[in-house]
Amino acid sequence: AKDAGTTQALLTEVRELRRAIEGMTVASQRIQITLYALQMQDAAVARAEQAADADRNRCASIEVNRQHTAQAAQQLENASASVTPGLEQAANKDLKERLAEMKANLDMVNSDAEGCRAIEAEASNKLQTERSRLTELQDRIGRLDKALESLANPAK
């Protein structure tokens, strides 16, 4: 009877060990999957940062161009407003044509700047979304780490 009790206790312990090993295997696989997801998300954040930086730089360049074009248009408008009566009619006509071209160019540059700001805002939103996903994965890894720590030290 003593041998049967010992055998039963050993079988119970073996089963518990088996469940513990299976649990650790599943936990290890989950951690590997989460770490892989973390690496992928880290790369997604890096790509989003690069895209946002490129859009920001492109928009800054467009804005500088817009400011220069606006300034040149203003100078032409000032020159056109102060046309002297004695100036040749051809010169006046040329000045007005240049002003019309400059205003059309300014409209186009303003449109480009507006479109760029929309693209820049979209890239910034995407970057924020990717960063949020990265934070969620980091939090998940932290929770998994705490769960594994509590399994490793059940007495605490």
Side-chain angles (χ1 to χ4, degrees), residues 69-123:
T69 304
Q71 188 176 34
Q74 185 63 47
Q75 288 172 348
L76 275 176
E77 198 163 323
N78 291 344
S80 177
S82 64
V83 169
T84 56
L87 198 59
E88 291 182 27
Q89 198 169 25
N92 281 335
K93 184 179 176 191
D94 181 53
L95 190 58
K96 288 182 185 209
E97 285 175 1
R98 285 180 39 211
L99 180 58
E101 287 175 18
M102 188 60 71
K103 284 185 176 183
N105 190 19
L106 182 58
D107 287 344
M108 187 176 69
V109 172
N110 281 335
S111 177
D112 288 350
E114 188 176 312
C116 192
R117 284 190 293 272
I119 290 169
E120 183 180 9
E122 186 178 320

Side-chain angles (χ1 to χ4, degrees), residues 39-54:
Q39 290 172 338
M40 297 297 290
Q41 191 58 40
D42 194 41
V45 168
R47 285 189 305 273
E49 284 175 341
Q50 287 178 336
D53 286 346

